[in-house]
Amino acid sequence: MKILLAGGAGFIGSHTAVELLEAGHDVVVVDNYCNSSPRSLERVREITGKDMAVYEADVRDKEAVKNIFDREAVDCVIHFAGLKAVGESVEKPVEYYRNNIDTTLTLLECMKEAGVKRIVFSSSATVYGEENESPYVETMPRGSCSNPYGWTKAMMEQILTDTAHADPDMSVILLRYFNPIGAHESGKIGEDPQGIPNNLMPFVSQTAVGRRDKLTIFGGDYDTPDGTCLRDYIHVMDLANGHLKAVEYAADHKGVEIFNLGTGKPYSVLDIVNTFEKANGVPVPYVIGARRAGDLPSVYADASKAERILGWKTKRDLRDMCVDSWNWQKNNPNGFRDQDQS
Ligand code: NAD
Ligand code: WQD
Protein backbone atom coordinates (compact mmCIF):
# COMPACT_ATOMS: atom_id res chain seq x y z
CA MET A 1 0.00 0.00 0.00
CA LYS A 2 1.03 3.63 -0.46
CA ILE A 3 0.56 5.47 2.84
CA LEU A 4 0.63 9.25 3.27
CA LEU A 5 2.04 10.31 6.63
CA ALA A 6 0.87 13.85 7.44
CA GLY A 7 3.32 15.09 10.09
CA GLY A 8 5.55 12.11 9.30
CA ALA A 9 8.84 13.81 10.24
CA GLY A 10 7.87 14.03 13.92
CA PHE A 11 8.57 11.66 16.81
CA ILE A 12 5.83 9.08 16.22
CA GLY A 13 5.63 9.62 12.43
CA SER A 14 9.32 8.92 11.82
CA HIS A 15 9.22 5.68 13.85
CA THR A 16 6.05 4.64 12.02
CA ALA A 17 7.77 5.35 8.68
CA VAL A 18 10.49 2.84 9.64
CA GLU A 19 7.91 0.21 10.57
CA LEU A 20 5.87 0.70 7.36
CA LEU A 21 8.93 0.72 5.05
CA GLU A 22 10.30 -2.41 6.69
CA ALA A 23 6.93 -4.13 6.17
CA GLY A 24 7.21 -3.35 2.43
CA HIS A 25 4.77 -0.43 2.17
CA ASP A 26 5.43 2.76 0.19
CA VAL A 27 5.60 5.91 2.28
CA VAL A 28 4.89 9.53 1.36
CA VAL A 29 5.56 12.20 3.99
CA VAL A 30 4.17 15.73 4.16
CA ASP A 31 5.43 17.99 6.95
CA ASN A 32 6.16 21.69 7.44
CA TYR A 33 8.80 20.91 10.11
CA CYS A 34 7.17 23.30 12.60
CA ASN A 35 8.12 20.83 15.35
CA SER A 36 10.62 18.53 13.62
CA SER A 37 13.65 18.34 11.37
CA PRO A 38 14.02 16.87 7.87
CA ARG A 39 17.07 15.10 9.35
CA SER A 40 14.73 12.58 10.97
CA LEU A 41 13.69 11.38 7.52
CA GLU A 42 17.31 11.08 6.36
CA ARG A 43 17.85 8.84 9.39
CA VAL A 44 14.76 6.80 8.46
CA ARG A 45 16.38 6.20 5.05
CA GLU A 46 19.66 5.19 6.78
CA ILE A 47 17.91 2.75 9.11
CA THR A 48 15.76 1.08 6.46
CA GLY A 49 17.94 1.43 3.36
CA LYS A 50 14.68 2.46 1.62
CA ASP A 51 13.50 5.69 0.06
CA MET A 52 10.23 7.59 0.42
CA ALA A 53 8.67 10.67 -1.17
CA VAL A 54 8.91 13.77 1.02
CA TYR A 55 6.96 17.02 0.56
CA GLU A 56 7.60 20.14 2.63
CA ALA A 57 4.20 21.78 3.00
CA ASP A 58 1.67 22.97 5.52
CA VAL A 59 -1.15 20.41 5.67
CA ARG A 60 -3.60 23.33 5.90
CA ASP A 61 -2.49 24.45 2.42
CA LYS A 62 -5.18 22.85 0.26
CA GLU A 63 -3.44 23.50 -3.07
CA ALA A 64 -0.24 21.87 -1.86
CA VAL A 65 -2.01 18.85 -0.39
CA LYS A 66 -4.21 18.44 -3.48
CA ASN A 67 -1.07 18.38 -5.64
CA ILE A 68 0.36 15.57 -3.51
CA PHE A 69 -2.83 13.51 -3.92
CA ASP A 70 -2.71 14.20 -7.68
CA ARG A 71 0.89 12.94 -7.94
CA GLU A 72 0.76 9.99 -5.54
CA ALA A 73 -1.76 7.16 -5.69
CA VAL A 74 -2.39 7.16 -1.94
CA ASP A 75 -4.28 4.20 -0.42
CA CYS A 76 -4.40 5.36 3.18
CA VAL A 77 -3.58 8.48 5.24
CA ILE A 78 -2.12 8.53 8.74
CA HIS A 79 -2.76 11.93 10.30
CA PHE A 80 -0.04 12.85 12.82
CA ALA A 81 0.15 16.56 11.91
CA GLY A 82 -0.74 18.63 14.93
CA LEU A 83 0.48 20.86 17.71
CA LYS A 84 0.73 18.87 20.94
CA ALA A 85 2.03 20.91 23.89
CA VAL A 86 -0.68 20.93 26.55
CA GLY A 87 0.54 24.05 28.42
CA GLU A 88 1.09 26.03 25.21
CA SER A 89 -2.45 25.16 24.09
CA VAL A 90 -3.82 26.93 27.17
CA GLU A 91 -1.88 30.08 26.23
CA LYS A 92 -2.55 29.90 22.48
CA PRO A 93 -5.92 28.17 22.07
CA VAL A 94 -6.77 29.73 18.71
CA GLU A 95 -3.46 28.62 17.21
CA TYR A 96 -4.13 25.07 18.41
CA TYR A 97 -7.71 24.93 17.13
CA ARG A 98 -6.66 26.52 13.81
CA ASN A 99 -3.77 24.16 13.21
CA ASN A 100 -5.23 20.90 14.45
CA ILE A 101 -8.76 21.25 13.10
CA ASP A 102 -7.73 22.82 9.79
CA THR A 103 -5.17 20.11 8.99
CA THR A 104 -7.91 17.52 9.53
CA LEU A 105 -10.49 19.33 7.39
CA THR A 106 -8.00 19.91 4.57
CA LEU A 107 -6.95 16.28 4.55
CA LEU A 108 -10.59 15.12 4.49
CA GLU A 109 -11.46 17.48 1.62
CA CYS A 110 -8.47 16.37 -0.44
CA MET A 111 -9.13 12.70 0.34
CA LYS A 112 -12.73 13.09 -0.86
CA GLU A 113 -11.63 14.73 -4.13
CA ALA A 114 -9.00 12.04 -4.72
CA GLY A 115 -11.31 9.16 -3.73
CA VAL A 116 -9.10 8.06 -0.80
CA LYS A 117 -11.26 6.26 1.74
CA ARG A 118 -8.99 5.28 4.63
CA ILE A 119 -7.60 7.38 7.45
CA VAL A 120 -5.84 6.48 10.69
CA PHE A 121 -5.83 9.28 13.26
CA SER A 122 -3.45 10.12 16.15
CA SER A 123 -5.83 10.59 19.03
CA SER A 124 -5.00 10.58 22.70
CA ALA A 125 -6.02 9.02 26.01
CA THR A 126 -6.74 12.59 27.09
CA VAL A 127 -10.20 12.36 25.41
CA TYR A 128 -11.40 10.03 28.20
CA GLY A 129 -11.31 13.11 30.47
CA GLU A 130 -11.69 13.15 34.19
CA GLU A 131 -15.16 11.56 34.30
CA ASN A 132 -13.84 8.10 33.40
CA GLU A 133 -11.66 5.89 35.58
CA SER A 134 -8.66 3.85 34.48
CA PRO A 135 -8.35 1.34 32.98
CA TYR A 136 -9.95 3.21 30.08
CA VAL A 137 -12.05 1.14 27.69
CA GLU A 138 -12.99 2.26 24.15
CA THR A 139 -16.71 1.92 24.93
CA MET A 140 -16.55 4.69 27.55
CA PRO A 141 -18.00 8.02 26.39
CA ARG A 142 -15.48 10.82 25.82
CA GLY A 143 -15.11 13.01 28.91
CA SER A 144 -14.25 16.67 29.38
CA CYS A 145 -10.70 17.61 28.54
CA SER A 146 -8.67 19.83 30.85
CA ASN A 147 -7.04 21.88 28.03
CA PRO A 148 -7.57 23.09 24.43
CA TYR A 149 -5.11 20.50 23.03
CA GLY A 150 -7.29 17.72 24.40
CA TRP A 151 -10.44 19.37 23.05
CA THR A 152 -8.92 19.52 19.56
CA LYS A 153 -8.47 15.73 19.73
CA ALA A 154 -12.06 15.22 20.92
CA MET A 155 -13.39 17.51 18.16
CA MET A 156 -11.30 15.83 15.48
CA GLU A 157 -12.58 12.42 16.58
CA GLN A 158 -16.12 13.76 16.13
CA ILE A 159 -15.35 15.32 12.71
CA LEU A 160 -13.82 12.05 11.48
CA THR A 161 -16.73 10.00 12.86
CA ASP A 162 -19.33 12.25 11.16
CA THR A 163 -17.38 12.02 7.89
CA ALA A 164 -17.38 8.22 8.02
CA HIS A 165 -21.11 8.19 8.76
CA ALA A 166 -21.73 10.30 5.66
CA ASP A 167 -19.73 7.96 3.40
CA PRO A 168 -20.34 4.25 4.03
CA ASP A 169 -17.21 3.34 2.04
CA MET A 170 -14.90 5.15 4.43
CA SER A 171 -12.71 3.58 7.10
CA VAL A 172 -11.73 5.77 10.06
CA ILE A 173 -9.43 4.32 12.71
CA LEU A 174 -9.02 6.42 15.86
CA LEU A 175 -5.87 5.42 17.75
CA ARG A 176 -5.81 6.67 21.34
CA TYR A 177 -2.18 6.77 22.39
CA PHE A 178 -1.19 6.62 26.04
CA ASN A 179 2.36 7.86 26.90
CA PRO A 180 4.80 7.12 24.06
CA ILE A 181 8.49 7.08 25.08
CA GLY A 182 11.64 5.24 23.95
CA ALA A 183 13.29 5.45 20.55
CA HIS A 184 14.31 3.23 17.66
CA GLU A 185 16.85 0.62 18.82
CA SER A 186 19.51 2.12 16.50
CA GLY A 187 19.58 5.41 18.47
CA LYS A 188 19.33 7.27 15.13
CA ILE A 189 15.84 8.70 15.64
CA GLY A 190 14.00 9.74 18.80
CA GLU A 191 12.02 12.46 20.51
CA ASP A 192 13.56 15.91 19.98
CA PRO A 193 11.42 18.56 21.70
CA GLN A 194 12.20 22.21 21.06
CA GLY A 195 12.99 24.22 24.22
CA ILE A 196 12.26 22.93 27.70
CA PRO A 197 10.52 19.54 27.47
CA ASN A 198 6.94 19.31 28.72
CA ASN A 199 6.90 15.53 28.84
CA LEU A 200 8.57 13.38 31.44
CA MET A 201 10.96 11.13 29.50
CA PRO A 202 12.73 13.84 27.46
CA PHE A 203 13.15 15.80 30.69
CA VAL A 204 14.63 12.73 32.42
CA SER A 205 17.05 11.97 29.58
CA GLN A 206 18.08 15.63 29.13
CA THR A 207 18.78 15.76 32.89
CA ALA A 208 20.86 12.58 32.66
CA VAL A 209 22.88 14.03 29.76
CA GLY A 210 23.49 17.30 31.64
CA ARG A 211 21.26 19.68 29.65
CA ARG A 212 19.01 20.18 32.72
CA ASP A 213 20.13 20.44 36.38
CA LYS A 214 17.38 18.37 37.87
CA LEU A 215 13.93 16.94 37.28
CA THR A 216 11.01 18.29 39.27
CA ILE A 217 8.51 15.54 40.00
CA PHE A 218 5.07 17.13 39.90
CA GLY A 219 3.48 16.01 43.17
CA GLY A 220 4.44 13.33 45.69
CA ASP A 221 1.17 13.29 47.61
CA TYR A 222 -1.22 11.52 45.20
CA ASP A 223 -3.24 8.56 46.37
CA THR A 224 -0.97 6.09 44.55
CA PRO A 225 1.48 3.48 45.91
CA ASP A 226 4.49 5.88 46.04
CA GLY A 227 2.58 9.20 45.94
CA THR A 228 3.54 10.05 42.30
CA CYS A 229 1.22 9.83 39.29
CA LEU A 230 0.65 6.60 37.36
CA ARG A 231 0.81 6.49 33.56
CA ASP A 232 0.79 3.86 30.81
CA TYR A 233 4.16 4.31 29.09
CA ILE A 234 4.46 2.63 25.69
CA HIS A 235 7.58 2.10 23.57
CA VAL A 236 7.32 4.19 20.39
CA MET A 237 8.30 1.18 18.22
CA ASP A 238 5.40 -0.84 19.70
CA LEU A 239 3.20 2.17 18.94
CA ALA A 240 4.58 2.29 15.39
CA ASN A 241 3.70 -1.38 14.97
CA GLY A 242 0.14 -0.54 16.09
CA HIS A 243 -0.09 1.84 13.10
CA LEU A 244 1.07 -0.89 10.74
CA LYS A 245 -1.65 -3.21 12.10
CA ALA A 246 -4.25 -0.41 11.89
CA VAL A 247 -3.42 0.43 8.26
CA GLU A 248 -3.61 -3.23 7.27
CA TYR A 249 -6.92 -3.60 9.15
CA ALA A 250 -8.34 -0.49 7.45
CA ALA A 251 -7.73 -2.03 4.04
CA ASP A 252 -10.76 -4.34 4.50
CA HIS A 253 -12.77 -2.26 6.92
CA LYS A 254 -15.59 0.26 6.63
CA GLY A 255 -16.89 2.50 9.41
CA VAL A 256 -15.27 3.86 12.57
CA GLU A 257 -13.16 1.86 15.00
CA ILE A 258 -11.39 3.11 18.13
CA PHE A 259 -8.32 1.42 19.62
CA ASN A 260 -6.35 2.20 22.76
CA LEU A 261 -2.62 1.85 22.17
CA GLY A 262 -1.04 1.31 25.57
CA THR A 263 0.47 -1.58 27.53
CA GLY A 264 -2.26 -1.70 30.18
CA LYS A 265 0.44 -1.50 32.90
CA PRO A 266 0.64 1.64 35.05
CA TYR A 267 4.03 2.90 36.28
CA SER A 268 4.76 5.85 38.57
CA VAL A 269 7.07 8.80 37.91
CA LEU A 270 9.48 7.34 40.49
CA ASP A 271 9.38 3.96 38.67
CA ILE A 272 10.57 5.78 35.54
CA VAL A 273 13.39 7.60 37.34
CA ASN A 274 14.54 4.48 39.21
CA THR A 275 14.39 2.19 36.15
CA PHE A 276 16.21 4.77 34.00
CA GLU A 277 19.03 5.14 36.57
CA LYS A 278 19.39 1.39 37.12
CA ALA A 279 19.18 0.30 33.46
CA ASN A 280 21.57 2.97 32.20
CA GLY A 281 23.89 3.45 35.18
CA VAL A 282 23.41 7.24 35.14
CA PRO A 283 22.04 9.47 37.89
CA VAL A 284 18.86 11.51 37.40
CA PRO A 285 18.84 14.20 40.13
CA TYR A 286 15.29 15.13 41.14
CA VAL A 287 13.21 17.02 43.65
CA ILE A 288 9.56 16.51 44.50
CA GLY A 289 7.65 19.70 43.72
CA ALA A 290 4.06 20.88 43.59
CA ARG A 291 1.36 19.13 41.57
CA ARG A 292 0.91 20.30 37.95
CA ALA A 293 -2.55 21.68 37.15
CA GLY A 294 -4.68 19.27 35.13
CA ASP A 295 -2.70 16.08 35.95
CA LEU A 296 -4.83 13.04 36.80
CA PRO A 297 -3.45 10.61 39.42
CA SER A 298 -3.83 7.51 37.28
CA VAL A 299 -4.15 7.02 33.50
CA TYR A 300 -3.82 3.60 31.88
CA ALA A 301 -5.42 1.55 29.15
CA ASP A 302 -7.44 -1.55 28.81
CA ALA A 303 -5.43 -2.66 25.77
CA SER A 304 -7.37 -5.85 25.07
CA LYS A 305 -9.38 -4.62 22.07
CA ALA A 306 -6.29 -3.92 19.93
CA GLU A 307 -4.95 -7.37 20.76
CA ARG A 308 -8.28 -9.05 20.00
CA ILE A 309 -9.06 -7.27 16.74
CA LEU A 310 -5.70 -6.11 15.36
CA GLY A 311 -3.61 -8.94 16.79
CA TRP A 312 -1.37 -6.25 18.27
CA LYS A 313 0.54 -6.68 21.51
CA THR A 314 3.40 -4.64 22.98
CA LYS A 315 6.75 -6.44 23.09
CA ARG A 316 8.99 -3.98 24.94
CA ASP A 317 9.06 -3.37 28.69
CA LEU A 318 9.87 -0.31 30.80
CA ARG A 319 13.58 -1.20 30.89
CA ASP A 320 13.70 -1.31 27.05
CA MET A 321 11.96 2.09 26.93
CA CYS A 322 14.54 3.61 29.32
CA VAL A 323 17.54 2.01 27.55
CA ASP A 324 16.39 3.14 24.09
CA SER A 325 15.51 6.68 25.24
CA TRP A 326 19.00 7.01 26.73
CA ASN A 327 20.70 5.49 23.68
CA TRP A 328 19.06 8.16 21.49
CA GLN A 329 19.82 11.00 23.95
CA LYS A 330 23.45 10.13 24.62
CA ASN A 331 24.23 9.69 20.92
CA ASN A 332 22.40 12.93 20.04
CA PRO A 333 22.71 15.18 23.12
CA ASN A 334 21.19 18.10 21.21
CA GLY A 335 18.77 16.03 19.17
CA PHE A 336 18.83 16.57 15.39
CA ARG A 337 20.34 20.03 15.87
CA ASP A 338 23.90 18.62 16.14
CA GLN A 339 23.66 17.49 12.56
CA ASP A 340 21.80 20.63 11.41
CA GLN A 341 24.71 22.77 12.57
CA SER A 342 27.45 20.64 11.00
P1 NAD B 1 5.55 15.77 16.78
O1 NAD B 1 5.36 17.21 17.08
O2 NAD B 1 6.91 15.19 16.93
O3 NAD B 1 5.00 15.43 15.32
C1 NAD B 1 3.97 16.17 14.71
C2 NAD B 1 4.48 16.55 13.32
O4 NAD B 1 3.46 17.27 12.65
C3 NAD B 1 5.72 17.43 13.36
O5 NAD B 1 6.69 16.90 12.48
C4 NAD B 1 5.23 18.79 12.87
O6 NAD B 1 6.23 19.51 12.19
C5 NAD B 1 4.06 18.36 11.98
N1 NAD B 1 3.03 19.39 11.80
C6 NAD B 1 2.29 20.04 12.75
N2 NAD B 1 1.44 20.89 12.17
C7 NAD B 1 1.62 20.79 10.82
C8 NAD B 1 1.02 21.39 9.69
N3 NAD B 1 0.08 22.32 9.82
N4 NAD B 1 1.45 21.03 8.47
C9 NAD B 1 2.43 20.10 8.32
N5 NAD B 1 3.03 19.48 9.35
C10 NAD B 1 2.63 19.82 10.59
O7 NAD B 1 4.52 14.96 17.71
P2 NAD B 1 4.38 13.41 17.94
O8 NAD B 1 4.71 13.13 19.37
O9 NAD B 1 5.05 12.64 16.86
O10 NAD B 1 2.80 13.27 17.82
C11 NAD B 1 2.17 12.93 16.60
C12 NAD B 1 0.67 13.04 16.78
O11 NAD B 1 0.27 12.19 17.85
C13 NAD B 1 0.19 14.44 17.15
O12 NAD B 1 -1.04 14.68 16.51
C14 NAD B 1 -0.02 14.35 18.65
O13 NAD B 1 -1.00 15.25 19.10
C15 NAD B 1 -0.49 12.91 18.81
N6 NAD B 1 -0.23 12.36 20.15
C16 NAD B 1 1.04 12.40 20.66
C17 NAD B 1 1.28 11.91 21.94
C18 NAD B 1 2.65 12.01 22.56
O14 NAD B 1 2.75 11.93 23.78
N7 NAD B 1 3.71 12.19 21.79
C19 NAD B 1 0.23 11.35 22.67
C20 NAD B 1 -1.06 11.31 22.10
C21 NAD B 1 -1.27 11.82 20.83
C1 WQD C 1 3.82 12.12 32.70
C2 WQD C 1 3.92 12.15 34.22
C3 WQD C 1 3.58 14.33 35.18
C4 WQD C 1 7.19 16.19 33.50
C5 WQD C 1 0.63 14.29 28.08
C6 WQD C 1 -0.65 14.79 27.48
C7 WQD C 1 -1.39 13.67 26.80
C8 WQD C 1 -0.49 12.95 25.79
C9 WQD C 1 0.84 12.57 26.39
C10 WQD C 1 0.30 14.33 23.90
C11 WQD C 1 2.85 13.02 34.87
C12 WQD C 1 4.99 13.83 35.43
C13 WQD C 1 6.19 15.29 33.84
C14 WQD C 1 8.05 16.66 34.53
C15 WQD C 1 6.88 15.24 36.11
N1 WQD C 1 -0.36 13.80 24.68
N2 WQD C 1 6.05 14.82 35.12
N3 WQD C 1 7.87 16.15 35.80
O1 WQD C 1 0.73 14.56 31.20
O2 WQD C 1 0.58 12.03 31.16
O3 WQD C 1 0.32 13.29 29.07
O4 WQD C 1 1.45 13.69 27.07
O5 WQD C 1 0.33 14.64 22.81
O6 WQD C 1 -2.51 14.22 26.16
O7 WQD C 1 -1.46 15.35 28.51
O8 WQD C 1 2.54 13.17 30.08
O9 WQD C 1 4.99 13.17 30.03
O10 WQD C 1 3.77 15.32 30.57
O11 WQD C 1 3.75 13.48 32.24
O12 WQD C 1 6.78 14.83 37.25
O13 WQD C 1 8.94 17.48 34.33
O14 WQD C 1 5.18 12.74 34.57
O15 WQD C 1 3.08 14.97 36.32
O16 WQD C 1 2.49 12.39 36.06
P1 WQD C 1 0.98 13.30 30.50
P2 WQD C 1 3.83 13.84 30.66
Side-chain angles (χ1 to χ4, degrees), residues 30-146:
V30 52
D31 204 300
N32 64 356
Y33 308 119
C34 67
N35 195 40
S36 56
S37 162
R39 304 289 179 200
S40 68
L41 299 172
E42 284 171 20
R43 301 275 183 95
V44 169
R45 292 187 178 104
E46 265 178 50
I47 292 167
T48 60
K50 295 187 179 177
D51 204 1
M52 69 201 127
V54 176
Y55 296 88
E56 180 174 355
D58 192 314
V59 176
R60 293 171 295 176
D61 179 345
K62 191 165 175 199
E63 251 340 275
V65 177
K66 187 183 174 315
N67 283 337
I68 299 170
F69 279 99
D70 285 346
R71 288 180 60 159
E72 309 279 352
V74 172
D75 297 296
C76 181
V77 172
I78 309 183
H79 180 17
F80 300 103
L83 301 176
K84 64 160 184 176
V86 169
E88 189 184 57
S89 79
V90 177
E91 281 149 33
K92 302 177 181 171
V94 176
E95 207 172 293
Y96 269 67
Y97 286 111
R98 173 66 79 191
N99 192 72
N100 292 1
I101 309 281
D102 261 8
T103 50
T104 306
L105 295 174
T106 304
L107 279 171
L108 287 170
E109 282 173 356
C110 292
M111 285 173 63
K112 188 172 184 190
E113 285 168 24
V116 177
K117 301 284 185 187
R118 299 178 183 89
I119 183 164
V120 174
F121 175 62
S122 297
S123 190
S124 168
T126 196
V127 303
Y128 287 106
E130 56 192 28
E131 291 83 351
N132 292 301
E133 255 192 46
S134 291
Y136 293 144
V137 186
E138 291 89 342
T139 46
M140 289 172 168
R142 282 193 297 264
S144 7
C145 302
S146 60

Side-chain angles (χ1 to χ4, degrees), residues 84 86 124 126 149 178-180 198-201 203 215-218 229 231 233 269 292 295:
K84 64 160 184 176
V86 169
S124 168
T126 196
Y149 164 76
F178 282 69
N179 288 61
N198 302 295
N199 294 108
L200 177 64
M201 184 52 93
F203 208 107
L215 167 76
T216 300
I217 294 182
F218 298 140
C229 288
R231 293 289 180 273
Y233 297 94
V269 181
R292 182 172 68 177
D295 276 346

Side-chain angles (χ1 to χ4, degrees), residues 232-288:
D232 186 337
Y233 297 94
I234 173 172
H235 195 295
V236 67
M237 286 308 298
D238 280 330
L239 190 71
N241 181 254
H243 291 76
L244 171 64
K245 300 276 188 190
V247 161
E248 292 178 345
Y249 175 78
D252 296 315
H253 165 262
K254 287 175 184 174
V256 183
E257 211 63 67
I258 304 173
F259 295 105
N260 287 338
L261 295 184
T263 64
K265 293 190 200 102
Y267 286 103
S268 73
V269 181
L270 279 170
D271 288 333
I272 296 280
V273 172
N274 294 334
T275 309
F276 191 97
E277 288 186 323
K278 194 159 169 236
N280 298 317
V282 284
V284 179
Y286 70 84
V287 290
I288 308 252

